[in-house]
Amino acid sequence: MLRLDAITVCYGKVPALREVSLEVHAGELVTLIGANGAGKTTTLKAISGLLSLASGSIEFEGVPIANTRPRDVLARGIAHCPEGRRVFPELTVRENLAMGAYLRRDQAGIADDLERIFAKLPRLKERIGQIAGTLSGGEQQMLAIARSLMSRPRLMLFDEPSLGLAPNLVERVFEIIAEIRREGTTVLMVEQNALAALEMCDRAYLLETGQMVLAGAGRDLLENPHMRRAYLGG
Amino acid sequence: MDQILQHALNGVVLGGTYALLGIGLTLIFGIMRVVNFTHGELYAFGAYLAYLFVALLHLDFFLSIALAALAGFALGALIELVLLRPLRSNDIDTVMLVMIGAWIALQNGEQFVWGGVAKLVPSPFAQEPLVIGPVSVAPLRLFVLGATLVLLVGFYWLIDRTRLGMAMRATFQDRDTAALMGIDVRGIYTLTFALGSALAAIAGALLGPIFLVNPTMGNLVGLKAFAIVILGGLGNITGATIGGFVLALVEEFGAGYLSSEYRDAFGFLVIIAVLALRPQGFFARKARVG
Ligand SMILES: Nc1ncnc2c1ncn2[C@@H]1O[C@H](COP(=O)(O)OP(=O)(O)OP(=O)(O)O)[C@@H](O)[C@H]1O
Ligand SMILES: [Mg+2]
């Protein structure tokens, strides 16, 4: 479904990613693991069109999407739920959700999707008129996820969805992501919480200082000595 | 007492146009972060176009004002596309120098085209002031007040109630995330600059018939617009609206009760006081937009 082929991405002259390749098949939940500054966010930004490539290529369902605008990537069916939630702080919950459906014109479909999301996340419905900046961290993360779903993506990119959340909320967020996948949306998730990510994913990639160093099934990587030593606490 | 009411009315009439100018600049300077030295020139541009359309081409007065606003929108869009868009990734000093250049070029262009002699824009309204209870007001001024109020309401409606306005607010709050929602953020920036410029041009077209039109009229007005933006808090649209009215009322009462020669100085005294006491402006919010 998604194929990154030897992509290199630079900030100025400094490369943040060097010849990174990665693949996601339809229906999978793939996770991308790495330490601070490894280049995980950069990878997602390159996919969604926020950054352009110095070299390499990105294909989605056989169509090259590298170096196009974010709106074109979104229109093809990839939604990117960014690191740090990034809800629009001075818009209401309702307006944030409407922004998620910005490219859609099917009012009836949008209303249906809203109902389905509210069934899943009733707290958001209670807060529909509230300014997003006044929500708690957990609520903001739920809103960010819901907002991304409003575009009806076929592939969802999550960037550290558990970042800065209390343990019970972390669990809830992972549950929701697993549910999104069960309902048929393919997922590529960036996580620092390696143990949880490896346990829930089908396949995983490990990024270290801009280079892909390991790839494999989640349970295989759980057993991998390098992974255990560096990311799973022994 | 009657005097107070009269000054207040005059201040409110002037304040409406100041509010338009302030909102236009707070969009561009406060939110887009472009130190826009051309704002006063867009005001002069609007006034000269009103002169061109009404006095030289004999077009309908109201149509002329609308056309001046459209032309201001187009000139603003052109400035953004030609000068600012290619400089988006440059630092603020570069952009500032370019905008100073544009300011000088526009002003000299006006001088070249229209000459240094001040122009008068004729208006279709009667000269006889209307007497309403204790105050009197020229019909033209009443029209200017009505037009600015309609524009202010229309602008708030655009920003608060429309899909486009929501996309603008989202872009101002978080540019990258707005792009991820499918918003054409570059288009929003062009539109915002054009809209801000149109507000300056229409302010010029509305005040043109009240004051005289001359090539350097934009300088003082540009400065005042910056003052209003600072008074209202950078990027705060409601602050700019209130700031516009406050500045006009201070000028009007200062001129009426203290000294009419120092009319323009009173406004700037207020700004100095604000900068000294409350540098974030009166209506600054905790979480900034943009
Ligand atoms: N806007 C930027 N300008 C310059 N360098 C950047 C920029 N953003 C990221 N970098 C650098 O690129 C490298 C990769 O950053 P990236 O944000 O992709 O890491 P990450 O794996 O997402 O880290 P984290 O876990 O902290 O989110 C880092 O060395 C970082 O310092
Ligand atoms: Mg990151």
Side-chain angles (χ1 to χ4, degrees):
Chain A
M1 185 181 216
L2 177 76
R3 180 202 296 274
L4 276 60
D5 193 13
I7 68 164
T8 296
V9 178
C10 301
Y11 292 106
K13 293 247 178 307
V14 189
L17 293 179
R18 272 165 296 161
E19 311 223 326
V20 164
S21 298
L22 173 156
E23 225 175 314
V24 181
H25 306 292
E28 274 190 317
L29 196 166
V30 174
T31 181
L32 178 60
I33 296 170
N36 280 327
K40 306 180 297 295
T41 298
T42 305
T43 307
L44 294 193
K45 284 184 173 175
I47 297 169
S48 58
L50 284 176
L51 294 172
S52 44
L53 307 187
S55 65
S57 67
I58 302 179
E59 277 184 8
F60 181 63
E61 296 177 330
V63 183
I65 55 164
N67 308 322
T68 55
R69 294 182 307 167
R71 77 186 262 142
D72 300 326
V73 176
L74 181 70
R76 292 203 172 278
I78 304 180
H80 178 166
C81 186
E83 183 174 358
R85 322 189 228 292
R86 304 285 282 268
V87 298
F88 298 110
E90 297 190 26
L91 300 190
T92 62
V93 169
R94 185 197 305 279
E95 288 174 326
N96 267 279
L97 292 170
M99 291 320 304
Y102 185 72
L103 290 185
R104 290 173 64 181
R105 297 295 171 139
D106 56 322
Q107 294 308 325
I110 293 175
D112 280 356
D113 286 359
L114 258 186
E115 279 319 307
R116 283 198 297 131
I117 283 169
F118 286 150
K120 219 185 300 239
L121 302 166
R123 279 298 275 276
L124 287 184
K125 187 168 191 173
E126 290 165 26
R127 316 242 160 197
I128 184 100
Q130 203 168 320
I131 300 291
T134 65
L135 299 178
S136 71
E139 288 165 345
Q140 288 190 17
Q141 185 62 63
M142 302 301 172
L143 176 57
I145 294 173
R147 182 181 62 181
S148 299
L149 285 175
M150 286 305 291
S151 69
R152 258 195 204 176
R154 275 169 296 133
L155 172 63
M156 273 281 273
L157 312 177
F158 287 104
D159 197 343
E160 303 206 34
S162 71
L163 190 73
L165 298 183
N168 60 328
L169 284 171
V170 170
E171 212 164 297
R172 180 76 188 111
V173 164
F174 286 143
E175 263 171 43
I176 291 168
I177 292 172
E179 206 173 304
I180 290 169
R181 195 277 286 271
R182 266 203 307 285
E183 288 166 5
T185 307
T186 309
V187 174
L188 173 59
M189 177 173 79
V190 160
E191 256 303 326
Q192 283 210 39
N193 188 339
L195 182 61
L198 288 176
E199 278 175 344
M200 75 185 283
C201 74
D202 300 309
R203 287 187 308 112
Y205 290 86
L206 176 63
L207 203 53
E208 285 181 353
T209 56
Q211 286 180 300
M212 207 61 99
V213 293
L214 266 181
R219 38 177 198 288
D220 293 345
L221 291 196
L222 277 171
E223 303 302 325
N224 181 287
H226 174 67
M227 185 66 111
R228 292 187 72 91
R229 208 172 335 104
Y231 298 91
L232 300 170
Chain B
M1 185 61 204
D2 294 358
Q3 275 244 326
I4 293 181
L5 281 176
Q6 184 67 51
H7 287 307
L9 179 65
N10 293 347
V12 168
V13 170
L14 191 60
T17 52
Y18 280 10
L20 294 179
L21 277 163
I23 290 174
L25 190 63
T26 216
L27 287 176
I28 295 170
F29 174 48
I31 294 174
M32 290 176 67
R33 296 279 153 165
V34 174
V35 187
N36 181 21
F37 290 107
T38 67
H39 205 62
E41 294 319 308
L42 262 299
Y43 170 85
F45 178 72
Y48 271 116
L49 283 188
Y51 171 74
L52 169 69
F53 294 142
V54 179
L56 302 185
L57 300 179
H58 305 292
L59 296 183
D60 177 70
F61 180 77
F62 305 102
L63 175 67
S64 298
I65 289 175
L67 287 177
L70 278 180
F73 186 90
L75 179 58
L78 192 71
I79 291 173
E80 206 282 338
L81 285 171
V82 174
L83 297 181
L84 294 173
R85 186 172 282 197
L87 292 176
R88 179 68 67 217
S89 54
N90 287 65
D91 54 38
I92 192 162
D93 300 347
T94 312
V95 175
M96 233 154 95
L97 282 175
V98 168
M99 294 313 279
I100 290 174
W103 168 28
I104 295 170
L106 283 169
Q107 191 164 111
N108 285 329
E110 274 143 22
Q111 176 102 35
F112 179 74
V113 173
W114 302 106
V117 182
K119 310 282 190 207
L120 183 71
V121 183
S123 102
F125 292 98
Q127 293 296 315
E128 280 304 289
L130 287 170
V131 179
I132 312 166
V135 296
S136 71
V137 57
L140 172 63
R141 284 178 185 253
L142 219 48
F143 161 71
V144 168
L145 178 61
T148 53
L149 292 182
V150 167
L151 283 166
L152 287 173
V153 170
F155 179 81
Y156 271 90
W157 174 80
L158 171 75
I159 292 287
D160 278 344
R161 293 274 180 268
T162 67
R163 186 177 119 94
L164 179 64
M166 194 161 62
M168 288 172 73
R169 284 182 288 140
T171 305
F172 301 156
Q173 287 168 40
D174 189 334
R175 184 188 155 96
D176 276 356
T177 306
L180 289 179
M181 301 296 119
I183 296 168
D184 173 11
V185 294
R186 295 203 305 176
I188 295 281
Y189 274 70
T190 306
L191 180 81
T192 304
F193 197 94
L195 201 58
S197 299
L199 289 175
I202 202 163
L206 286 170
L207 288 187
I210 295 184
F211 304 124
L212 290 175
V213 183
N214 66 72
T216 52
M217 68 191 287
N219 292 348
L220 192 58
V221 165
L223 263 178
K224 286 184 186 175
F226 273 102
I228 293 163
V229 169
I230 291 163
L231 197 60
L234 285 186
N236 187 330
I237 291 168
T238 304
T241 310
I242 299 171
F245 283 101
V246 168
L247 181 66
L249 287 167
V250 167
E251 283 184 7
E252 194 62 40
F253 279 99
Y257 289 104
L258 298 170
S259 154
S260 61
E261 312 208 328
Y262 286 95
R263 178 185 187 94
D264 293 320
F266 294 116
F268 292 105
L269 282 177
V270 172
I271 303 312
I272 292 168
V274 169
L275 284 176
L277 300 174
R278 215 181 133 73
Q280 69 274 45
F282 271 116
F283 310 101
R285 30 180 129 186
K286 277 167 260 125
R288 260 195 35 75
V289 173

